[in-house]
Amino acid sequence: MRAGEEVQIRQDTGTAGGIVCVGNFIVDRIHTLSYWPEQGSLAHILHQDMGVGGGAANVVTDLASLGFKGRLSVAGAVGNDRDGAYVRDRHAALGIDVAGLRVLDGQATAHTHVMNVPGQSRTFFYHGGSNDLLTDDLIDPAAFAASGHRIFYLGYLMLLPALDRKDASGSSGAARLLKAAREAGLTTCVDFVSSEDPAFADQVAVALPHCDYVIVNETEAGRATGVAVRDKSGTLLLSAVEEAGQRLLDGGVAQGVVIHAPELSIWLSPDKAPVITPALAVDPAAIVSPVGAGDAFCAAVLYGLHEGWPIETISAVAHRAAVHCLGGATATDGIPDMSILLAEI
């Protein structure tokens, strides 16, 4: 059966199910620069945009843009300030249930100044604010399961200090939260942030046994496992990426590890051959901003997992979602309806 036919059957059978996105909610102020200045020098800001970013915010917004038919909900923490109201209003306007966003008095909503030079990588200046105080006792996975949600997404690990931190027992808030979600019958999907924290591998390892799926880029996979996934010239080492994915599976990930890179993605499942999907060629001149491309990829993966599509179909639409994202100024501007991505396969 072709992917388009599968989607039609799913749409005809109603809107059962849902995805809850938990974790970072950040107000992004994106500054497009003429060039990256040397220390003490000046660069012109050519353009400015404002949006809501962070793993959970980007993924749930992308799911709404993709036309996901099930319930969409969010859970996290914002401050009792103008930015917090902006986060809530932006999501509510898309039909997303924001009841799970806790308002923390006296705390600033997390925010980032994103410095973007067209054709180059972006640099982030981040204030964690309310995100840094998100603990597992502020979220009730069982309530989302009871209301019909199927997938529990958590992102980003390593950017949620109160959840990432290991306690005296060797566990962490993230591990407890994911464990509770699985016990409630939810499928857990996790993404990491591209952090250079020396505790990265140790803290991530605690959560892996409670993850059904891990969806990360090649850099994050390498840092989580200690595997060098590129050589000194920057060339991607496919065998090393596969090794990193296998180590994540060996660490306890139950159903699948999806690693995406600019060159390709690789999907590893226990006791099955890896599925490798080449990325699409992108004209650098067509890239408005690289912010959010990985989250767009992740959102398409969650959509496909929820609908039960074949891995090959999910991977194909995920790469296309990332490409469309590159054409938008903010992390979520460029995402089209899923029907467009399916038609491009």
Side-chain angles (χ1 to χ4, degrees):
M1 189 177 285
R2 292 177 309 204
E5 292 171 343
E6 293 176 68
V7 172
Q8 187 60 50
I9 290 171
R10 174 65 182 88
Q11 291 173 343
D12 287 346
T13 56
T15 58
I19 299 173
V20 55
C21 294
V22 181
N24 297 106
F25 293 88
I26 305 166
V27 172
D28 285 335
R29 292 175 172 86
I30 302 169
H31 310 279
T32 300
L33 307 181
S34 54
Y35 63 93
W36 188 259
E38 297 292 333
Q39 185 173 350
S41 298
L42 179 145
H44 287 281
I45 298 175
L46 303 177
H47 186 73
Q48 297 183 88
D49 292 281
M50 182 173 172
V52 179
N58 289 346
V59 169
V60 77
T61 301
D62 289 346
L63 284 164
S65 297
L66 289 167
F68 178 73
K69 302 301 181 184
R71 296 191 62 174
L72 289 175
S73 300
V74 291
V78 296
N80 189 14
D81 54 14
R82 183 173 60 182
D83 282 351
Y86 177 70
V87 170
R88 296 193 303 274
D89 291 347
R90 283 289 298 268
H91 286 88
L94 295 172
I96 298 164
D97 184 349
V98 298
L101 284 178
R102 300 296 187 96
V103 178
L104 305 184
D105 289 331
Q107 301 297 325
T109 299
H111 54 274
T112 303
H113 290 275
V114 183
M115 304 303 172
N116 176 48
V117 179
Q120 299 181 25
S121 189
R122 69 275 194 202
T123 302
F124 302 87
F125 296 89
Y126 173 66
H127 175 68
S130 54
N131 275 346
D132 290 355
L133 301 177
L134 180 64
T135 54
D136 56 297
D137 60 342
L138 295 178
I139 301 166
D140 182 8
F144 292 107
S147 59
H149 295 76
R150 298 177 188 167
I151 290 178
F152 185 96
Y153 163 88
L154 177 61
Y156 305 113
L157 288 190
M158 298 310 298
L159 198 59
L160 294 162
L163 289 178
D164 293 324
R165 192 177 302 117
K166 291 176 65 176
D167 57 28
S169 70
S171 186
S172 69
R176 289 190 296 271
L177 183 59
L178 292 166
K179 182 175 185 288
R182 293 183 81 189
E183 289 176 346
L186 296 164
T187 297
T188 56
C189 301
V190 173
D191 191 3
F192 310 152
V193 78
S194 296
S195 167
E196 296 184 2
D197 190 323
F200 193 116
D202 186 46
Q203 292 185 353
V204 163
V206 177
L208 293 182
H210 309 291
C211 298
D212 288 303
Y213 291 92
V214 165
I215 307 162
V216 292
N217 68 31
E218 81 285 10
T219 301
E220 294 151 1
R223 288 175 182 164
T225 60
V227 176
V229 297
R230 294 186 181 275
D231 65 18
K232 292 181 179 179
S233 69
T235 300
L236 186 70
L237 304 172
L238 180 56
S239 60
V241 175
E242 185 172 344
E243 180 184 350
Q246 186 58 53
R247 289 191 184 186
L248 290 170
L249 287 176
D250 293 342
V253 179
Q255 297 191 52
V257 172
V258 187
I259 303 173
H260 54 88
E263 298 89 345
L264 52 80
S265 66
I266 181 168
W267 189 308
L268 298 101
S269 306
D271 303 319
K272 294 182 181 178
V275 176
I276 299 170
T277 306
L280 303 174
V282 179
D283 181 357
I287 299 175
V288 177
S289 170
V291 176
D295 295 321
F297 184 100
C298 183
V301 170
L302 297 184
Y303 191 125
L305 286 173
H306 187 279
E307 303 303 291
W309 293 350
I311 290 173
E312 293 80 3
T313 301
I314 299 174
S315 299
V317 296
H319 278 290
R320 283 159 175 80
V323 169
H324 280 275
C325 181
L326 295 173
T330 70
T332 56
D333 279 351
I335 307 301
D337 191 85
M338 180 59 78
S339 61
I340 293 175
L341 303 184
L342 288 167
E344 292 176 354
I345 297 177

